[in-house]
Structure formats: structure tokens, C-alpha cells
Amino acid sequence: MSGPVLQNNIVGIFDSGVGGLSVWRELIKVLPGNKMVYVSDNAYSPYGPRPQSEIVSRAVEISEFLIRNGAGIIVIACNTATAAAIDELRWRFDIPFVGMEPAVKPAAQSSKSKVIGVLATKGTFMGRLYNSTLRRFATGVRVVEKVGTGLVDVVESGRADTKEGRELLEKYIRPMIKKGADHIVLGCTHYPFLSEQISQIAGEGVTLVDPAPAVAKHTFEIMEKGGLVLKERINQLEQTKFFSTGSVENLKRVARTILPSLDEGFFEHMD
Ligand code: DGL
């Protein structure tokens, strides 16, 4: 592998595609001294409709790759992969894994209307984690769930501002608003890249809840406990090595909306 030398205090991050970059942008804020490796499994995106066993085997293969490349901790920056694979990954590998979970708890606690919307993939809604979170934290709150079919592709291909993207969002968001939701949980890491469009449809009084900052903070805490946080700030443009099993272009385009001058040399194809 060319590019920056990787060490053991490296943060591994993966998602089915570019969505995990919404978590990565929070991780580089709280861990400015640690190198990171990001894998977009674009060749297998979207994960949402895939059987659990297939997502587990993708997650295992990518985790092996990240560990080979020095990751001492892995952030599963994908709600669907967390729901399907986190137990297996923790069982197989001897490093910490941090997962995503739709932010139902903060949304339910701050809701005044006591109605919240959750937009996620089918795999996430079927997961044990999501359902136990609902039981624990959403009692007395009406939860309007919508599977965001098609939205991952819209983000992957940069079509957020097209008629098709807007129509899909209207179909999912309007019923939540109609039922009185004052919070919408972004239950897939791709959806923060649609925040602007979602807010336009939802209107002013509706808060979008993205769990990424809390996940980044949790990752920092685990690393700090393990003495893995490096204090000396690295140039952000050289901090992360990006890999994609499919389109490297999608990854570059979205990563550059966060750090515009990211260098070509830091993006590679993963076989
Ligand atoms: N970013 C993934 C998530 O958080 C997208 C899942 C998919 O590929 O369907 O769930």
C-alpha cells in the first residue's frame, strides 16, 4: 500500500459506500492526531436489502483488511452493517468495534409532540439493537418508521438535488410530518448528506438527529482509555487513506465536499 505509513493507533472505518463519511468528518474533529483508513464497499452497495449472512461476510472481509492495515479500533459507520454484523465481529476479532444505532433515545427525549420519524434501511429496522432501543427509550412516543428505499443510491451517485431524489424524500418525509413528528432520526449514515433537502420538506420546526457526533465521542473515549489518542495534530489532507471496492470517484466527490483539497494519492481501489 502506498501513501502514509500506518500504525496500530489507526482508526478503521467502513460503510457500504460514502455514507460513513458523515461519521468520518466527526472522527477527524475529535481525533486530529490519529491516522484513519476508510473503506467504502461500493461494489456491494446498498447493504439494506441484502441477506444478513452476506453483510456479515462483507464486514468480516473488510475488518480483516482494516486490521492488516493497522487499525486498532474499527468504527462500523453503517447502521445496517452494525445491525447485521457487530456481534460476529466482536466475537471474531480482538479489537474494539464501535457501531451505529439510530438516535431514537435523544429524539424521543427531546420531542415535544411525542411523535418522531425514523428513516432507515430495512436491515436496520429488523435488527435486535433497534428494536431493543425502541422498547427502552420510545415508550409513550409514537414512532413513524420509513424505509428509505433508493436513497443510498441517490447519495452514492450524487443525485440529491434531482427530481427523483426530491420525490423519494417527499414520499418518506411527508407522512412523518403529517403525523406530527417534530424530530426525524437519520438512521442511515448516508442520510446526513440529504439533510438540506430533508429540512426543506420537513419545515422549520423539525429537528434532524444524526448520531455521528455521539459515535465519534464514544470512539474517542474508548481510544483515550486505551492510551491510543495521539495529541500531535496531523495535516488533515494526509490523515486518511480511502479505499473503495467499487467506484473511487463517488468516494472522492463526497470526501471532497468535506475536505476540498484531498489528494488523488490517498484514494485507492480495494480488490
Ligand atoms: N450507510 C448505510 C447505513 O447506515 C447504508 C446501508 C445500505 O447500504 O443500504 O445503514
Side-chain angles (χ1 to χ4, degrees), residues 15-20 44-49 77-81 100 120-121 124 152 156 187-191:
D15 176 43
S16 65
V18 299
Y44 292 82
S45 165
Y47 279 173
C78 175
N79 293 264
T80 314
M100 302 297 300
T121 69
T124 297
V152 167
E156 287 293 318
C188 165
T189 53
H190 281 73
Y191 302 163

Side-chain angles (χ1 to χ4, degrees), residues 234-246:
I234 333 174
N235 177 353
Q236 278 192 325
L237 301 175
E238 296 173 3
Q239 187 175 4
T240 309
K241 194 81 176 108
F242 299 91
F243 292 88
S244 174
T245 57

Side-chain angles (χ1 to χ4, degrees), residues 17-76:
V18 299
L21 294 173
S22 66
V23 184
W24 166 75
R25 74 179 160 196
E26 301 301 326
L27 287 165
I28 57 176
K29 284 184 205 161
V30 297
L31 292 161
N34 288 74
K35 295 227 164 169
M36 309 202 178
V37 185
Y38 183 100
V39 173
S40 151
D41 198 14
N42 179 266
Y44 292 82
S45 165
Y47 279 173
R50 290 186 186 275
Q52 182 177 355
S53 58
E54 206 177 321
I55 302 172
V56 170
S57 71
R58 294 307 304 150
V60 168
E61 193 177 322
I62 294 166
S63 298
E64 281 167 351
F65 175 86
L66 289 170
I67 292 167
R68 270 203 309 282
N69 283 286
I73 183 165
I74 293 180
V75 180
I76 312 170

Side-chain angles (χ1 to χ4, degrees), residues 61-133:
E61 193 177 322
I62 294 166
S63 298
E64 281 167 351
F65 175 86
L66 289 170
I67 292 167
R68 270 203 309 282
N69 283 286
I73 183 165
I74 293 180
V75 180
I76 312 170
C78 175
N79 293 264
T80 314
T82 302
I86 196 164
D87 293 344
E88 173 81 18
L89 295 175
R90 284 182 172 150
W91 176 77
R92 265 182 193 253
F93 301 105
D94 200 18
I95 61 164
F97 283 85
V98 180
M100 302 297 300
E101 189 188 332
V104 168
K105 181 182 172 190
Q109 285 173 346
S110 351
S111 174
K112 296 218 161 43
S113 64
K114 295 292 161 210
V115 183
I116 65 168
V118 182
L119 190 61
T121 69
K122 189 170 145 222
T124 297
F125 282 130
M126 281 167 29
R128 183 176 50 78
L129 208 62
Y130 173 74
N131 288 292
S132 73
T133 303

